[in-house]
Amino acid sequence: MKPKIEDVAKAAGVSPTTVSRVLNNRGYISENTKNKVYQAMTDINYIPNDLARSLYNKKTNIIGLIVPTTKNPFFGEIAAEIENDCSNRGYKMLICNSLNNIEKERKYWEMLRRNQVDGVIVGTYNRGILDYDQHQLPTVAIDHYLSKNIPVVGSDNYQGGRLATEKLLESGCRYIIHINGPGELETPANYRRKAYEDTMNKRGQEPVTYEISGVFDQVEQDRIIRQVFDEHPHADGIFASDDLLALNVLREAHKRNIPIPEKLKIIGYDGTETIRTTAPHLSTICQPISTIAESAVAILQKQITDMLPLEKSETRHPVSFHKGSTV
Amino acid sequence: MKPKIEDVAKAAGVSPTTVSRVLNNRGYISENTKNKVYQAMTDINYIPNDLARSLYNKKTNIIGLIVPTTKNPFFGEIAAEIENDCSNRGYKMLICNSLNNIEKERKYWEMLRRNQVDGVIVGTYNRGILDYDQHQLPTVAIDHYLSKNIPVVGSDNYQGGRLATEKLLESGCRYIIHINGPGELETPANYRRKAYEDTMNKRGQEPVTYEISGVFDQVEQDRIIRQVFDEHPHADGIFASDDLLALNVLREAHKRNIPIPEKLKIIGYDGTETIRTTAPHLSTICQPISTIAESAVAILQKQITDMLPLEKSETRHPVSFHKGSTV
DNA sequence: CTGAAAGCGCTTACAG
DNA sequence: CTGAAAGCGCTTACAG
């Protein structure tokens, strides 16, 4: 049987109350008693039960993180950063890979509630899951609009879209296509598109945007990429809204023997550490992942400790350009 | 205030005992009562408190996962797979990124204990942390020897090392170098090296192995790679013990204008989904990540449910060869 | 400075 | 088929 406070108390010859007090450094306890208790704790190898503690305190110091999947480098990195920040602040993290499955996600929300998490950080698309009006749980969304009263954190998507487009224009492109990832309608990522279109219009160029609707659908993605090449054989620039997509575009270009960057320039989005080490040749817009993570955790913690009601807010962190050899 | 069982009981006009019983589907309850209770639960929006439940049951259905960092594609993918398997079996997962920091790792172990996790899956190098003799907690290690009584799951490293070496030999290499990642001494990954050396010896070739000791030390890694090229300008094959390393080798080869695969063939190890999509040209040995994850979870669950004492075992899953253009 | 008692939200013998 | 009581391992007023 695992030792409990009572056992420590017996071993130290004091009451459970006293043990609890030294454990929590609360109230006045004589040095002597303190030492006896510490001694007893190590003697019997006592480890406090946080379940009991949390039950009483109504605070678990656990937060939930819901992402599509940590297989994706962007979410793998953001998850790692968020967990680090949590750990530094004394929070633990329950992780949920929703696989963009609405039913799974609904279950995760319930699970997190049952486990009394102090808050949740969400990076998935799930309109309709939350009961907007009476959502109480402290929550922060990463690049997703979940509800009118949930703060959103992300990169400055408009700046990113503009930057990508400008870089292409600067390096001489005139016939630039934009390819969008799936489900970006409900996310601030649609500002990437908006910025692209605005920037093109301002220069008097006609914007052309393709959308990939299927989530995790490699086949559709490949089909659309081929379609772009078929329908726009004279395009000289492609702005893809994520790096994996950009790499696929690059691959198709190679297949068609289109010299990069001479005939076609390509720029991606995300700039994860993984991509920058495995494919440093890809020019891309880098999201400040650790800053995003940090600020999401900070905002969440503020909600938790101040017990503030949820309030809409949008935090955008500046992006940067990584120059590879595709632009 | 969150509604509790008592509130449901009141709303349904029954006792808390009865509510608990319908909640757990235990004992006989009349259909009528059941319905009243269900009705009451939805009426007042009741969500059970798993903390209280777990406290009583001495079972949390939570497991801990300790990895160096999910930023690394291998661990990001294994974490996602493990979490999926857990979720399917009704377990939740607390994730810990130890960053290969022994102090952090020690704290994570204590945290997991305090939170009464049912078991732990570890993918980090941490000899000396566990109290071998009296380690009670169900535990499974991924490709690491933690203690004489903790089961290990991984890819068949010996087969992998042999396969890599044979592929190089088959394609004509004779002067093959092996570069090892850090910290592989205490892990089954050292069988990759052993297999390489055995295979080379059997063919009458002299094995040459370099080791990179610094964990996460990009600078040292680059230095060693340059050293390999400097000291063995006539090498015609390199077997790198992970893909990120292999890609760095490839990059250095490009810098030196060494044509790949004509003058030099390169083969990596891991074959994550991420690498296979971002760098499909890299030939590599693929670990069956989802199989490894699945079997780790299965073994852990068996320990948990059968309450077996920990027992040494080693499970090796076969690897496969991914042919890119570097071999 | 220290302890006995009540309570956090559940569950399960035990009794009816 | 249903309920009152005790207990899971803690913590914190309250009293001394």
Side-chain angles (χ1 to χ4, degrees), chain A residues 233-248:
Chain A
H234 299 301
D236 56 9
I238 294 182
F239 165 35
S241 72
D242 73 82
D243 289 335
L244 262 24
L245 183 54
L247 286 171
N248 273 336

Side-chain angles (χ1 to χ4, degrees), chain B residues 210-214 217-231 248 252 256:
Chain B
Y210 281 73
E211 292 209 25
I212 292 167
S213 50
D217 186 344
Q218 191 61 44
V219 178
E220 199 213 340
Q221 181 168 314
D222 291 345
R223 191 179 59 70
I224 301 231
I225 291 173
R226 284 193 302 271
Q227 191 185 340
V228 170
F229 278 92
D230 290 343
E231 295 180 358
N248 274 335
E252 184 66 23
R256 296 182 183 228

Side-chain angles (χ1 to χ4, degrees), chain A residues 38-57:
Chain A
Y38 283 135
Q39 189 54 249
M41 292 200 299
T42 58
D43 282 352
I44 68 173
N45 218 311
Y46 172 72
I47 290 181
N49 183 330
D50 272 359
L51 247 41
R53 231 179 235 235
S54 299
L55 180 59
Y56 186 93
N57 293 328

Side-chain angles (χ1 to χ4, degrees), chain B residues 192-206:
Chain B
R192 299 178 197 167
R193 170 191 185 151
K194 179 100 172 58
Y196 155 76
E197 292 175 348
D198 288 355
T199 309
M200 290 294 276
N201 285 326
K202 210 177 297 172
R203 300 286 185 112
Q205 313 289 341
E206 193 197 351

Side-chain angles (χ1 to χ4, degrees), chain A residues 54-323:
Chain A
S54 299
L55 180 59
Y56 186 93
N57 293 328
K58 294 169 180 313
K59 178 147 195 331
T60 52
N61 289 307
I62 298 179
I63 72 132
L65 174 68
I66 308 178
V67 292
T69 171
T70 55
K71 280 189 182 186
N72 177 295
F74 178 73
F75 289 109
E77 293 184 19
I78 211 123
E81 295 286 354
I82 289 179
E83 196 277 318
N84 278 342
D85 295 331
C86 282
S87 161
N88 290 337
R89 293 163 187 256
Y91 286 94
K92 316 133 205 177
M93 191 170 107
L94 279 168
I95 192 153
C96 310
N97 296 101
S98 78
L99 307 178
N100 280 325
N101 175 150
I102 196 144
E103 237 355 276
K104 275 205 84 152
E105 189 160 342
R106 203 187 300 280
K107 280 192 193 137
Y108 276 127
W109 274 101
E110 198 197 325
M111 180 278 274
L112 294 174
R113 282 221 165 73
R114 295 169 79 116
N115 282 275
Q116 317 296 120
V117 295
D118 293 342
V120 177
I121 297 179
V122 213
T124 54
Y125 164 73
N126 52 9
R127 256 195 195 264
I129 278 200
L130 263 38
D131 200 340
Y132 305 130
D133 305 320
Q134 52 163 353
H135 182 77
Q136 306 287 349
L137 200 53
T139 303
V140 172
I142 301 213
D143 247 8
H144 284 268
Y145 297 123
L146 294 193
S147 140
K148 42 187 170 306
N149 55 356
I150 291 181
V152 183
V153 177
S155 71
D156 188 333
N157 288 284
Y158 194 90
Q159 182 215 349
R162 193 180 49 201
L163 186 55
T165 315
E166 281 172 352
K167 286 291 174 188
L168 289 170
L169 287 164
E170 275 170 28
S171 45
C173 299
R174 286 299 169 267
Y175 188 168
I176 304 174
I177 314 283
H178 174 47
I179 311 180
N180 238 347
E184 287 178 7
L185 285 175
E186 312 270 0
T187 82
N190 63 8
Y191 285 115
R192 298 178 198 168
R193 170 189 185 152
K194 179 100 172 57
Y196 155 77
E197 292 175 347
D198 288 355
T199 309
M200 290 293 278
N201 284 327
K202 209 177 299 172
R203 299 285 185 111
Q205 313 290 341
E206 194 196 351
V208 182
T209 301
Y210 280 74
E211 292 208 27
I212 292 168
S213 50
V215 179
F216 291 151
D217 186 342
Q218 191 59 46
V219 177
E220 199 212 340
Q221 182 168 314
D222 291 345
R223 190 179 59 71
I224 300 231
I225 291 172
R226 284 193 302 270
Q227 190 185 342
V228 170
F229 278 92
D230 289 343
E231 295 181 359
H232 301 277
H234 299 301
D236 56 9
I238 294 182
F239 165 35
S241 72
D242 73 82
D243 289 335
L244 262 24
L245 183 54
L247 286 171
N248 273 336
V249 170
L250 183 58
R251 207 160 300 134
E252 183 66 22
H254 284 321
K255 268 193 205 147
R256 297 183 183 227
N257 290 314
I258 300 172
I260 310 285
E262 293 77 13
K263 286 284 173 199
L264 177 67
K265 297 185 176 35
I266 299 173
I267 190 164
Y269 204 101
D270 282 350
T272 56
E273 228 177 284
T274 302
I275 294 289
R276 274 178 300 142
T277 57
T278 61
H281 53 279
L282 180 69
S283 298
T284 186
I285 303 298
C286 300
Q287 299 202 48
I289 295 187
S290 68
T291 309
I292 293 174
E294 203 176 357
S295 109
V297 175
I299 293 173
L300 187 69
Q301 189 176 26
K302 198 161 162 48
Q303 279 182 53
I304 294 172
T305 56
D306 298 359
M307 305 213 296
L308 295 172
L310 283 169
E311 193 180 321
K312 184 178 174 127
S313 78
E314 196 163 341
T315 312
R316 304 184 197 86
H317 296 286
V319 298
S320 58
F321 176 63
H322 163 77
K323 182 159 177 44

Side-chain angles (χ1 to χ4, degrees), chain B residues 99-161:
Chain B
L99 308 178
N100 280 325
N101 176 149
I102 196 146
E103 237 355 277
K104 274 204 86 150
E105 190 160 342
R106 203 187 301 280
K107 281 191 193 136
Y108 276 127
W109 274 103
E110 198 197 325
M111 179 278 271
L112 294 174
R113 281 220 167 74
R114 293 169 80 118
N115 283 275
Q116 316 298 117
V117 294
D118 293 340
V120 177
I121 297 179
V122 211
T124 54
Y125 164 72
N126 53 7
R127 257 197 194 261
I129 278 200
L130 262 38
D131 200 340
Y132 304 132
D133 305 321
Q134 50 163 354
H135 182 78
Q136 307 286 348
L137 199 52
T139 303
V140 172
I142 301 214
D143 247 11
H144 284 268
Y145 297 124
L146 294 194
S147 141
K148 41 186 171 309
N149 55 357
I150 291 179
V152 183
V153 177
S155 71
D156 188 334
N157 288 283
Y158 194 90
Q159 182 216 349

Side-chain angles (χ1 to χ4, degrees), chain B residues 28-64:
Chain B
Y28 300 87
I29 321 121
S30 73
E31 267 315 303
N32 185 9
T33 312
K34 241 184 205 169
N35 291 334
K36 274 192 306 186
V37 171
Y38 284 133
Q39 190 53 249
M41 293 200 299
T42 57
D43 282 352
I44 68 173
N45 218 310
Y46 172 72
I47 290 181
N49 183 328
D50 273 357
L51 247 40
R53 229 179 237 234
S54 299
L55 180 60
Y56 186 92
N57 293 328
K58 293 169 180 313
K59 181 147 192 333
T60 53
N61 290 307
I62 299 180
I63 71 132

